[in-house]
Amino acid sequence: MELLDNLALGFSTALLVQNVLYCFVGVLLGTAVGVLPGIGPTATVAMLLPITFSFEPVTALIMLAGIYYGAQYGGSTTAILINLPGESSAAVTALDGHEMARQGRAGPALAAAAIGSFVAGTVATVALAAAAPPLASVALKFGPADYFSLVLFGLLVSIALARGTALKALAMIALGVLLGTVGQDIYTGTPRFVFEQRELYGGIDFVSVAVGLFGVAEILRNLENEQTRTAIVSKVTNLWPTREDRRRIVAPILRGTGLGAALGVLPGGGHVLASFTSYAVEKRISKRPQEFGRGAIEGVAGPESANNAAAQTSFIPLLTLGLPAHPVMALMIGAFIVHGITPGPNVINDEPALFWGLIASMWIGNVLLLLLNLPLIGLWVRMLRIPYQVLFPMIILFAAIGTYSLNFNAYDVYAIAFFGILGYVLIKCGCEPAPLLLGFVLGPLLEENLRRALIISRGDPSVFVTRPISAALLVLAVVALVAAVLPSIRRRRAVVFAEE
Amino acid sequence: MERRRSFPDVLAGGIFVLIGGAFVVGALGYELGTPTRMGPGAFPLLVGVAVVALGLAIAGKGLIAGEVISFGPIPWRAVAVIVLAVLFFGFTIRRLGFVPTTAVTALLTTLASARVRLLTAVAVAAGLTVASTLIFVVGLQLRIPLWGPWLGL
């Protein structure tokens, strides 16, 4: 079977010593930043990206991916133990998970989360391996007009899933696209918006944007009201769930996995939506809905599985279409490009070892997470005691050093400060930063394909609606936009996100 | 309908209009080209106009039926100190070298917290300087001189 051959190739790559080692480093770091409030995977990946430039491409990507899904995992640990979700998708885990911890059942809650995540990760890895090749072969037929519509579709769908008002998310995307035009024009070489500064000819580095928006802005928000974090950590005794627990988590894990795997493909935070949807589903079909919110183990197992499955399948659009579903993946596009690989449908044929190696590494990473997390719970809990006064200077300093080491360009460092302030003010005004980063990364693609499509059609814009793929994608994009703006659906969306 | 004025909405709208407008003005200075051969100014102009329009819509909505968001306090000290620290780092890394730049940046950043004691700040900064020198210069072989030309070494 072809799938098995491919997976065999993947595992032979992923099991190389240095790849396992960096997979381990990735999931370890990911768990750490998932546990620590105030620093997330996006800022971490942005800071570590320059370091990975000297690695083999596949090793670099394995580590960066590990940080991403490791963080989803770590976030649930703090959600359960101290009611502090390290990651937005873990917010729903805190509802029942922390309640279980208060009843002295932290162990089974953590175990349910871990087992659910592992099952979900395994199933989603297979789903990813099975779904990617056909999708990539479809994507190979895409012309510039289709790509333009695809990117537009991806950006607009991410609005439907973003928190806050659709209008603001749309404006953030457009602003990101606009900022992405700084630098030399690809067709004419004209420097745009560079104020005669040679250092800006290459454009604004996306690492600066990410570090500013997700690192600096977040720190400023945390410094608004400093409180000593008194973490009252529940004691973890007896990890193993009872027979009754085990019986109750099987179905939620499977349903959560399915939901997560499907929703994870959507651009822009599918994993947050997946965990909330799974929680809602479990509550609705449960025979004991009154137990939800009072320590129902189904409310931990389902959402945690959904969240982890989604984290895995969100690599599908990245690996087959070159479309990032999450800011971390937008950064991974940069990692691909630095190594001379254009992310998109060609990766699977041109770099099969890299493609399958990355996928196989995710399963290995899930095994490592399972082995790592349950025994090391004590270590993670102790990490929560690191005072913020030590943590935030470290983040700022490492961010500055990391960004400078990208191109040894002082402007990249100045840009951190600029985007930090801009992001901070906009976040305070209710604008989520993720759409801006997605717009920034995808903007140049949008412009390039728009112009190329118009050159091919000799300036006739109808090409976007006469090509069937492009037309279908544009229709879907409009549907997504309408859905995001329509009041009735907006209210439902508000309900989904209200519990955060 | 009840009028709910929302300061954050108006501010956000204003920021979008300002940045979008600046790009529109800039884009008009470049060649716009024809639809077949779009010039370097065409795409930024289009997107800039969109950003301005969205900004106006957000601000306008903020005046009539704004989103209820509490803006919260601004940690002025942290904002000023962190911006200063980052700019200092960018400006002096080449001139002062890795060790002095890192030490000063770390110390400045530590002082962003209103609750920090000076002794703690110095200790944290010293620890971070040693750690980052070991990690980035010794471990990762980053090619930044430890001591820069400004020190006359």
Side-chain angles (χ1 to χ4, degrees), chain A residues 37-168:
Chain A
I39 177 165
T42 310
T44 312
V45 168
M47 282 191 281
L48 291 177
L49 198 61
I51 297 169
T52 66
F53 288 172
S54 58
F55 296 0
E56 290 281 312
V58 65
T59 311
L61 291 168
I62 284 175
M63 181 173 120
L64 297 176
I67 295 174
Y68 173 66
Y69 56 77
Q72 310 296 335
Y73 208 107
S76 61
T77 306
T78 39
I80 291 171
L81 290 180
I82 57 171
N83 201 14
L84 202 70
E87 272 289 285
S88 51
S89 50
V92 67
T93 309
L95 297 176
D96 279 283
H98 186 62
E99 198 54 41
M100 282 179 74
R102 283 180 44 179
Q103 295 164 11
R105 301 199 340 116
L110 288 167
I115 297 165
S117 296
F118 177 73
V119 172
T122 307
V123 174
T125 303
V126 177
L128 173 55
L135 210 62
S137 62
V138 171
L140 276 175
K141 300 197 181 75
F142 280 23
D146 305 323
Y147 246 102
F148 172 83
S149 304
L150 175 72
V151 173
L152 199 64
F153 165 70
L155 286 174
L156 292 181
V157 169
S158 74
I159 297 176
L161 297 181
R163 262 170 292 162
T165 69
L167 202 57
K168 284 179 180 167

Side-chain angles (χ1 to χ4, degrees), chain A residues 441-474:
Chain A
V441 170
L442 292 175
L445 266 176
L446 209 58
E447 177 177 14
E448 190 186 335
N449 285 300
L450 172 70
R451 286 165 77 172
R452 193 181 294 162
L454 286 174
I455 289 172
I456 295 171
S457 76
R458 296 178 189 282
D460 178 11
S462 72
V463 62
F464 295 106
V465 289
T466 48
R467 282 185 65 101
I469 300 177
S470 168
L473 285 164
L474 282 181

Side-chain angles (χ1 to χ4, degrees), chain A residues 165 168 174 185 192-193 224 226 228 392 397 400 404-405 408 410 413-414 421 424 428-429 447 451 454-455 458, chain B residues 8-9 30 35-36 38 40 43 47 51 67 69 71 73 75 79 86 90-91 93-94 102 109 113-115 142:
Chain A
T165 69
K168 284 179 180 167
D185 173 34
R192 297 188 290 195
F193 315 110
E224 275 176 11
E226 289 182 70
T228 27
F392 85 83
L397 189 63
Y404 181 70
S405 68
F408 299 98
V413 181
Y414 301 150
I421 299 294
Y424 174 63
K428 271 178 100 67
C429 293
E447 177 177 14
R451 286 165 77 172
L454 286 174
I455 289 172
R458 296 178 189 282
Chain B
D9 277 4
Y30 304 116
T36 316
M38 283 165 78
F43 187 74
V47 181
V51 171
E67 200 181 348
I69 312 165
F71 194 73
V79 171
V86 170
F91 189 71
I93 182 81
R94 207 182 287 249
T102 305
T109 321
S113 162
R115 300 161 54 105
L142 208 65

